[in-house]
Amino acid sequence: MRRSRAQRAALISAGLSMVLALAACSDPTQDDTSESGGEGATGDSGGSEDTTLNAYLYQPPASNWSPMAPASGPDQVVMNLIYDSLLGVDPDYKLYPRLATDLPEISEDGLTITYHLKEGLTWSDGEPFTAEDVVFTYNLMADPDTGSTATGRFSDVVGAPEVAAGTADTVSGFTAPDETTFQIQLTKPNVGLVGLTGNIMIVPQHVLADVPVDEMDTTEFFTQSPNVGMGPYVFQEYATDQYIHLVKNPSFRDGEPEIDEIYLRPVTSDVATAQLGTGEMDLVQISPADLETVEAMDGIEIGTGPGAGYIRTSVNEKKPYLQDVRLRQAMLYAVDRQQLIDQALGGYAQPVNASFMNDALPDDLETYDYDPDRARELLAEMNWDPNQVITLSWIPGQRDRDTAATILESQLNEVGIKLQLNQVQPGQLTDMMNEQSYDMTLYGGGNYATEPFAVFGINACSTHFPAGGNLSYWCNEEFDQLMLEANATVDEAARYDLYQQAARIENAEVPMIYLYNPDTIWAYTEAIEGFVPNGDFTNPFWNVQEWSLNR
């Protein structure tokens, strides 16, 4: 039986709330856990033929390896090991082919996207992989009855709105003309769909075909061991709060990985750092506060990569006293963001002046360098009332964000903006967002580096929360038109020119107070060869098949 529209809406709303809560907690700490692992957990290639890698996992997973489930960082780490996708994202946030032979072909009219798949691939259980598996997976992702929170991405695919509305069972725009070809037919050009959906993790039709769609989010397949996937490793066991055990997939498309086993260990960051020093841990994501300690360790390498998102405060323009653009510009001038980066992140971050990144970011934006006098001038121009209290709400616990809140309070008060800090729990913040009762909220996350159209979801007039991620309730019709035109433009140079025009509008109107794009810092034993640091902390194993462990 299919769920009602109200039930589907509740699922999507719950999923979005979870995504927002997770985005606010990208570096959580948990209670200390057992250091003991499973058999072979401390593998040593010097005394055994097997090689075992122990890696830090920053939070215990929900242990539901379902691509349809609401986004969860630690579960994403596991799924990036056990599943594969048509395309991947490299450390420069560029798309590259994985199960596909190359990036997809887009027809001249922008209405057909064609992927050609690698031949002769098999699932980890030995069954052949075909384009029908891709059609099957994309249908699951487009159907809210599966628990998927990604259905909105497919609104321009032929037949997808009917599936979302419950009047059709499959998306007619997803087809497999032959065993190695997957096509998407669109009702209007949507070039950004490639970047937003090309890295969907493919699941096996031969295992899941008989599971009713409305039971897909509770089926045992996504928690069973061993799991069936196309990734470099196969899930074996989750010892709750201790480790996730994976073994290499001999059927992996690029050949059998050299490292035999991986144990992901959800311990606190201080325990992980200590175990790195004792040799019990091989790969750890560390905070800047621990950098000096790690740099003093023998045999440990450091690698960094910029994140795909950024830390910011949304300014609720539903509130009349927050609607004047000069107030938001004054806030940016009033905050010494470089001081914040140096103080809270040891310099491992970059100031942000727009949501766009890489080629979509023009080089002529206003940089809003620290200038408290300019901030005071703008406030005087708008006759700002210095007695007006503005409340900043955030979920505490991340050292850099806690420091950011304190610096914002001090420096905004210094220029005559009375900022009041309000620490809240995730549920409270969700309630405040639903009620539109907050003034400003501090949070982070997102991936705006791979596909620029992702910025539409946090800035468009049509994506005001809860319909999307626009928590500032900013609306600029010219910005929206440029974004939509860019997304319908096949010519890459013309497309990115339109994105740069949109970035200039966003930069001038300051819908949110941009703070910084933090680096992800990795510390790892020099025995690992082939590791390339990735700024996406949910995908450190993006090229794990190229690693070796030589102790």
Side-chain angles (χ1 to χ4, degrees), residues 30 51 69 111 139 153 180 213 235 345 382 410 421 506 523:
Q30 301 293 326
T51 53
L111 297 178
N139 268 292
R153 301 179 191 176
T180 59
V213 291
F235 168 68
L345 294 120
M382 61 177 293
S410 172
L421 301 185
E506 186 201 19

Side-chain angles (χ1 to χ4, degrees), residues 131-144:
E132 291 293 346
D133 290 301
V134 183
V135 172
F136 176 75
T137 300
Y138 275 63
N139 268 292
L140 294 179
M141 296 300 295
D143 190 340

Side-chain angles (χ1 to χ4, degrees), residues 7-18 144 147-152 164 466:
Q7 288 173 315
R8 292 195 297 270
L11 274 172
I12 293 171
S13 178
L16 180 57
S17 296
M18 184 176 292
S148 173
T149 58
T151 57

Side-chain angles (χ1 to χ4, degrees), residues 206-448:
H206 68 277
V207 178
L208 294 168
D210 294 332
V211 178
V213 291
D214 59 355
E215 296 177 13
M216 197 63 66
D217 54 352
T218 58
T219 181
E220 292 182 358
F221 170 80
F222 294 115
T223 58
Q224 75 180 23
S225 171
N227 196 271
V228 178
M230 294 284 292
Y233 286 82
V234 178
F235 168 68
Q236 291 294 300
E237 177 191 12
Y238 175 34
T240 304
D241 293 341
Q242 296 184 58
Y243 59 81
I244 298 96
H245 178 208
L246 307 105
V247 299
K248 66 182 179 180
N249 175 11
S251 300
F252 185 59
R253 56 179 164 79
D254 287 343
E256 202 173 300
E258 288 195 35
I259 297 175
D260 298 288
E261 300 177 283
I262 294 177
Y263 283 83
L264 302 175
R265 301 185 178 276
V267 297
T268 57
S269 59
D270 56 336
V271 169
T273 301
Q275 291 184 347
L276 185 69
T278 61
E280 298 169 83
M281 198 76 78
D282 299 306
L283 175 64
V284 175
Q285 179 195 344
I286 65 171
S287 73
D290 295 326
L291 190 60
E292 185 176 350
T293 298
V294 172
E295 286 177 334
M297 296 178 180
D298 292 332
I300 299 300
E301 303 285 344
I302 302 292
T304 66
Y310 62 99
I311 310 301
R312 68 273 201 178
T313 70
S314 286
V315 182
N316 184 359
E317 293 187 35
K318 293 282 189 181
K319 302 291 185 74
Y321 50 88
L322 299 175
Q323 292 173 354
D324 195 315
V325 63
R326 291 171 295 183
L327 171 63
R328 302 189 300 275
Q329 291 171 339
M331 288 180 177
L332 268 180
Y333 283 120
V335 178
D336 189 341
R337 290 177 291 166
Q338 191 58 55
Q339 177 200 8
L340 169 57
I341 289 168
D342 292 341
Q343 182 175 328
L345 294 120
Y348 283 89
Q350 301 78 38
V352 173
N353 294 297
S355 301
F356 296 84
M357 296 185 178
N358 297 336
D359 295 340
L361 190 68
D363 56 11
D364 58 352
L365 297 181
E366 171 60 53
T367 57
Y368 295 102
D369 296 330
Y370 179 53
D371 189 345
D373 290 336
R374 177 59 181 150
R376 294 185 184 95
E377 289 173 4
L378 288 166
L379 294 171
E381 285 178 17
M382 61 177 293
N383 295 315
W384 174 253
D385 178 4
N387 295 313
Q388 173 66 59
V389 175
I390 299 175
T391 302
L392 173 64
S393 302
W394 88 106
I395 301 169
Q398 275 65 165
R399 281 177 285 187
D400 61 316
R401 300 183 195 188
D402 293 346
T403 301
T406 301
I407 289 177
L408 282 166
E409 179 189 35
S410 172
Q411 296 187 337
L412 292 185
N413 274 279
E414 185 178 327
V415 300
I417 300 173
K418 187 175 292 186
L419 190 71
Q420 178 176 290
L421 301 185
N422 179 38
Q423 297 184 4
V424 296
Q425 296 304 308
Q428 292 176 276
L429 186 58
T430 300
D431 289 342
M432 293 172 71
M433 290 189 293
N434 285 327
E435 297 163 1
Q436 301 176 3
S437 60
Y438 59 91
D439 288 336
M440 296 170 62
T441 178
L442 172 65
Y443 66 107
N447 183 344
Y448 314 110

Side-chain angles (χ1 to χ4, degrees), residues 424-500:
V424 296
Q425 296 304 308
Q428 292 176 276
L429 186 58
T430 300
D431 289 342
M432 293 172 71
M433 290 189 293
N434 285 327
E435 297 163 1
Q436 301 176 3
S437 60
Y438 59 91
D439 288 336
M440 296 170 62
T441 178
L442 172 65
Y443 66 107
N447 183 344
Y448 314 110
T450 302
E451 172 45 57
F453 193 67
V455 174
F456 189 83
I458 60 171
N459 275 334
C461 301
S462 60
T463 62
H464 289 179
F465 185 84
N470 187 341
L471 296 177
S472 293
Y473 302 99
W474 178 65
C475 179
N476 182 291
E477 293 182 358
E478 183 184 1
F479 172 91
D480 286 9
Q481 183 57 41
L482 286 166
M483 293 293 289
L484 292 170
E485 185 179 349
N487 195 41
T489 301
V490 176
D491 180 81
E492 186 170 332
R495 182 173 181 242
Y496 276 86
D497 178 69
L498 291 165
Y499 280 133
Q500 290 192 6

